[in-house]
mmCIF file of all heavy atoms in Angstrom:
data_model
loop_
_atom_site.group_PDB
_atom_site.id
_atom_site.type_symbol
_atom_site.label_atom_id
_atom_site.label_comp_id
_atom_site.label_asym_id
_atom_site.label_seq_id
_atom_site.Cartn_x
_atom_site.Cartn_y
_atom_site.Cartn_z
ATOM 1 N N GLY N 160 -29.864 64.558 147.495
ATOM 2 C CA GLY N 160 -28.992 65.267 148.426
ATOM 3 C C GLY N 160 -29.253 66.754 148.457
ATOM 4 O O GLY N 160 -30.086 67.284 147.717
ATOM 5 N N ASP N 161 -28.508 67.438 149.297
ATOM 6 C CA ASP N 161 -28.620 68.893 149.394
ATOM 7 C C ASP N 161 -28.201 69.546 148.073
ATOM 8 O O ASP N 161 -28.840 70.481 147.598
ATOM 9 C CB ASP N 161 -27.763 69.429 150.546
ATOM 10 C CG ASP N 161 -26.394 68.771 150.612
ATOM 11 O OD1 ASP N 161 -26.327 67.596 151.026
ATOM 12 O OD2 ASP N 161 -25.396 69.397 150.220
ATOM 13 N N GLY N 162 -27.123 69.041 147.483
ATOM 14 C CA GLY N 162 -26.679 69.616 146.215
ATOM 15 C C GLY N 162 -27.732 69.465 145.138
ATOM 16 O O GLY N 162 -27.955 70.375 144.329
ATOM 17 N N GLN N 188 -31.517 64.162 152.017
ATOM 18 C CA GLN N 188 -30.477 64.016 153.041
ATOM 19 C C GLN N 188 -29.507 65.167 152.899
ATOM 20 O O GLN N 188 -28.686 65.191 151.978
ATOM 21 C CB GLN N 188 -29.734 62.695 152.878
ATOM 22 C CG GLN N 188 -30.573 61.496 153.290
ATOM 23 C CD GLN N 188 -29.905 60.202 152.879
ATOM 24 O OE1 GLN N 188 -29.061 59.691 153.584
ATOM 25 N NE2 GLN N 188 -30.303 59.670 151.741
ATOM 26 N N ASN N 189 -29.665 66.127 153.778
ATOM 27 C CA ASN N 189 -28.729 67.243 153.777
ATOM 28 C C ASN N 189 -27.519 66.831 154.604
ATOM 29 O O ASN N 189 -27.521 66.946 155.830
ATOM 30 C CB ASN N 189 -29.404 68.492 154.354
ATOM 31 C CG ASN N 189 -28.431 69.661 154.436
ATOM 32 O OD1 ASN N 189 -27.245 69.523 154.108
ATOM 33 N ND2 ASN N 189 -28.916 70.797 154.892
ATOM 34 N N ASN N 190 -26.497 66.336 153.906
ATOM 35 C CA ASN N 190 -25.279 65.911 154.614
ATOM 36 C C ASN N 190 -24.242 67.026 154.593
ATOM 37 O O ASN N 190 -23.057 66.794 154.780
ATOM 38 C CB ASN N 190 -24.741 64.602 154.023
ATOM 39 C CG ASN N 190 -24.331 64.746 152.569
ATOM 40 O OD1 ASN N 190 -24.315 65.847 152.019
ATOM 41 N ND2 ASN N 190 -23.982 63.638 151.939
ATOM 42 N N GLN N 191 -24.697 68.232 154.337
ATOM 43 C CA GLN N 191 -23.927 69.483 154.435
ATOM 44 C C GLN N 191 -22.972 69.719 153.265
ATOM 45 O O GLN N 191 -22.482 70.826 153.090
ATOM 46 C CB GLN N 191 -23.122 69.583 155.748
ATOM 47 C CG GLN N 191 -23.905 69.215 156.999
ATOM 48 C CD GLN N 191 -25.149 70.064 157.194
ATOM 49 O OE1 GLN N 191 -25.156 71.241 156.868
ATOM 50 N NE2 GLN N 191 -26.234 69.457 157.680
ATOM 51 N N TRP N 192 -22.713 68.697 152.473
ATOM 52 C CA TRP N 192 -21.732 68.856 151.406
ATOM 53 C C TRP N 192 -22.218 68.231 150.108
ATOM 54 O O TRP N 192 -22.844 67.163 150.118
ATOM 55 C CB TRP N 192 -20.394 68.194 151.790
ATOM 56 C CG TRP N 192 -19.718 68.914 152.902
ATOM 57 C CD1 TRP N 192 -19.848 68.652 154.243
ATOM 58 C CD2 TRP N 192 -18.856 70.050 152.786
ATOM 59 N NE1 TRP N 192 -19.115 69.557 154.969
ATOM 60 C CE2 TRP N 192 -18.492 70.432 154.101
ATOM 61 C CE3 TRP N 192 -18.352 70.785 151.711
ATOM 62 C CZ2 TRP N 192 -17.647 71.515 154.362
ATOM 63 C CZ3 TRP N 192 -17.506 71.853 151.965
ATOM 64 C CH2 TRP N 192 -17.166 72.209 153.275
ATOM 65 N N ALA N 193 -21.898 68.893 149.006
ATOM 66 C CA ALA N 193 -22.052 68.314 147.673
ATOM 67 C C ALA N 193 -20.622 68.262 147.122
ATOM 68 O O ALA N 193 -20.084 69.277 146.672
ATOM 69 C CB ALA N 193 -22.943 69.181 146.800
HETATM 70 MG MG1 MG T 402 -24.809 66.344 150.071
#
Side-chain angles (χ1 to χ4, degrees):
Chain N
D161 43 286
Q188 288 170 84
N189 177 358
N190 62 7
Q191 314 302 325
W192 292 92

